[in-house]
Amino acid sequence: MDGTDLRAELSRNYYVRSRTARTAALRMAYIAYARTVAGWQLRRPTAEARASLRRRIEELFERDWQDANDGIYPRELIEGLPWREYALAAPKLLADLPRTRARIRMGRHDELPGQAERYPTYYARNFHYQTDGYLGHTSAELYDLQVELIFGGTADVMRRRLVPPVVRFARAQGYGTARPMKLLDVACGTGHLLRFLGKALPDARLYGLDLSPQYIARARETLPREMEVSLVCDDAEKMPFVDGHFDAATNLYLLHEVPRDVRARVLGEMFRVVRPGGLAVVADSLQLHDAPELSRELRAFPERFHEPYYEEYAAQDLTALVAAAGFTVRETTLAFLTKIVVAEKPG
C-alpha cells in the first residue's frame, strides 16, 4: 500500500468510526428526547438486530465516504451536519415539547391550523404528532432536526444515497453546461435532497414539488441562493407539468405516509412527467421482508408516531410498486433503514 492509498484508508476509517460514534451519541439524545416527550421506554434491540444495525450503519458511512472520494459529490457534503441550522432550531424544539407531549399522550392527531380542510384527508393530520403536521412554519423549522435525532445523524447520509445514480445517469447522458439536465424532486420538503443534488450537479435545472406551502417557504429560505431551483407548491397526485418534461425525477420518504391508491397515483405521475429514457429514483423505508431481524424496530415506528399508512406500506414491495407504474427497474439497494429503487422509463 503506497502513501496515497494509506492516507485514503486512514481517512475512510476515521470517517466511518467518528460518524458511527456520533450516531451513538445522537441516539442517546433521541432516547432522552423520547422519554421527555412521551415517557417512552425504548426496548433494547435483540443481539441480532444490534449486529444488523451496526453493520448497516458502517456500510452506509463507508459508501458515503467512497462516493465523495470518487468525486460523485463534493467532499464538503460529508464533512458535517448543518449544526448552525440545528442550533437555531433546538430552543424551538424544546419549547414545543409540552404541546407534542400532550398530543401524544392524548392520541390527538387532528390539531391543525384552519386551512387544513383544503388538503386531502390523508395529509391533514399531525404526522409524528408534530405541531401543525406539515401545515405550519414551526413544523417546517423543526422537522430536519427531529428527523436527525430519530435516525441518529444518518438522515442526510441516507438522503445522499439517491445522488449517485442521478450523477451517473447525468454523466452517461452527457448533461452539462451546454445541455443541462432537468430534474424534479417530488415531495421535496425543506429541500435537503435538492441541496445535495445541486452541489453534485451544479449545471442541472432543479425543480422541487411539495404540497406544504410552509415547507416550500422553508426550502426557499435555506437553499443556497446560487442554486438554480424552481419550487412549486402543488399535489404530487396531479403534477402541474406536461408529459415528459423532466429528464429525471426523485422521490424520498413520501410513499409510507400516503394510502395505497395514492402511492400508485404519485408513481404514475412521476412516470408521466419523466421523458422516455429518463430516470426515476424512488426511496423510502425498509420493508419487512428486507430485514426480518429488524421487524420489531420497523413495527415500533408507527406505534410511537402517528403513521397510519406505514404498516401497510412496509408489507408491500417498493420495487414492484415502481415497476407497476411502468418503469423498468435497474437496481434496488438498501442503505441502513432506507430502500432505494433506480428505474428508467422505457424509450
Side-chain angles (χ1 to χ4, degrees):
M1 182 180 292
D2 62 25
T4 301
D5 290 341
L6 178 60
R7 284 193 297 273
E9 182 64 14
L10 290 172
S11 172
R12 183 188 67 81
N13 284 335
Y14 173 77
Y15 179 74
V16 173
R17 292 186 180 186
S18 64
R19 296 311 189 268
T20 302
R22 186 182 71 189
T23 296
L26 287 172
R27 172 69 178 171
M28 295 303 295
Y30 168 66
I31 291 172
Y33 170 73
R35 286 175 175 167
T36 301
V37 170
W40 289 324
Q41 298 298 315
L42 302 184
R43 293 172 293 186
R44 186 175 177 81
T46 65
E48 184 183 15
R50 288 199 305 274
S52 176
L53 290 168
R54 175 81 182 194
R55 173 179 56 81
R56 291 169 186 274
I57 288 172
E58 290 180 352
E59 289 175 353
L60 176 72
F61 287 125
E62 284 176 354
R63 278 185 274 174
D64 195 37
W65 181 90
Q66 192 64 55
D67 282 330
N69 192 62
D70 291 344
I72 298 295
Y73 40 73
R75 190 170 184 82
E76 67 182 86
L77 294 185
I78 75 169
E79 289 177 349
L81 295 170
W83 293 113
R84 182 178 181 279
E85 177 184 330
Y86 294 158
L88 292 173
K92 296 179 181 179
L93 181 65
L94 293 174
D96 194 53
L97 282 181
R99 288 192 291 174
T100 305
R101 182 190 300 119
R103 198 174 297 114
I104 291 172
R105 292 180 176 177
M106 295 175 64
R108 297 292 301 272
H109 55 77
D110 57 356
E111 295 181 357
L112 296 165
Q115 75 270 23
E117 67 274 3
R118 298 164 44 198
Y119 294 87
T121 303
Y122 67 79
Y123 189 79
R125 58 185 68 243
N126 299 90
F127 284 101
H128 318 149
Y129 292 109
Q130 62 194 22
T131 298
D132 292 337
Y134 290 128
L135 300 173
H137 290 288
T138 298
S139 167
E141 287 184 76
L142 302 183
Y143 176 81
D144 292 310
L145 175 56
Q146 290 171 322
V147 170
E148 283 295 355
L149 284 173
I150 290 171
F151 292 112
T154 64
D156 272 349
V157 190
M158 290 190 286
R159 288 184 181 108
R160 282 198 291 275
R161 291 296 81 218
L162 280 74
V163 178
V166 177
V167 171
R168 293 187 180 105
F169 174 79
R171 291 176 179 175
Q173 295 284 319
Y175 291 114
T177 304
R179 183 174 169 243
M181 181 175 68
K182 290 186 292 186
L183 183 145
L184 171 67
D185 185 28
V186 179
C188 66
T190 61
H192 272 224
L193 178 56
L194 283 170
R195 183 182 305 165
F196 298 149
L197 290 165
K199 290 289 186 180
L201 295 165
D203 297 319
R205 293 177 180 169
L206 301 176
Y207 296 75
L209 177 84
D210 201 275
L211 189 54
S212 169
Q214 292 82 9
Y215 277 61
I216 286 287
R218 179 67 175 172
R220 287 200 178 102
E221 179 184 350
T222 58
L223 284 171
R225 294 288 179 257
E226 68 273 12
M227 189 176 292
E228 185 174 344
V229 57
S230 299
L231 298 172
V232 180
C233 186
D234 216 317
D235 192 345
E237 292 186 73
K238 41 184 184 296
M239 300 184 200
F241 307 112
V242 299
D243 296 359
H245 185 68
F246 297 100
D247 302 300
T250 56
N251 176 230
L252 176 65
Y253 301 144
L254 169 67
L255 300 183
H256 76 273
E257 293 198 336
V258 297
R260 178 188 288 259
D261 59 330
V262 178
R263 285 179 211 129
R265 285 197 288 275
V266 169
L267 291 171
E269 279 291 274
M270 289 182 67
F271 184 84
R272 181 183 67 79
V273 302
V274 169
R275 66 164 175 81
L279 180 75
V281 184
V282 180
D284 212 295
S285 165
L286 288 186
Q287 296 173 302
L288 294 172
H289 60 273
D290 296 321
E293 75 280 7
L294 299 179
S295 60
R296 191 176 75 171
E297 283 69 25
L298 293 176
R299 287 194 168 98
F301 182 61
E303 290 174 6
R304 295 174 189 152
F305 302 94
H306 179 61
E307 286 283 358
Y309 311 109
Y310 181 86
E311 188 171 356
E312 195 266 345
Y313 159 82
Q316 287 192 288
D317 182 348
L318 182 57
T319 303
L321 288 173
V322 174
F327 291 105
T328 300
V329 174
R330 298 303 185 195
E331 181 184 25
T332 299
T333 59
L334 306 179
F336 187 32
L337 300 175
T338 298
K339 182 174 186 173
I340 303 109
V341 179
V342 180
E344 294 179 6
K345 181 172 178 175

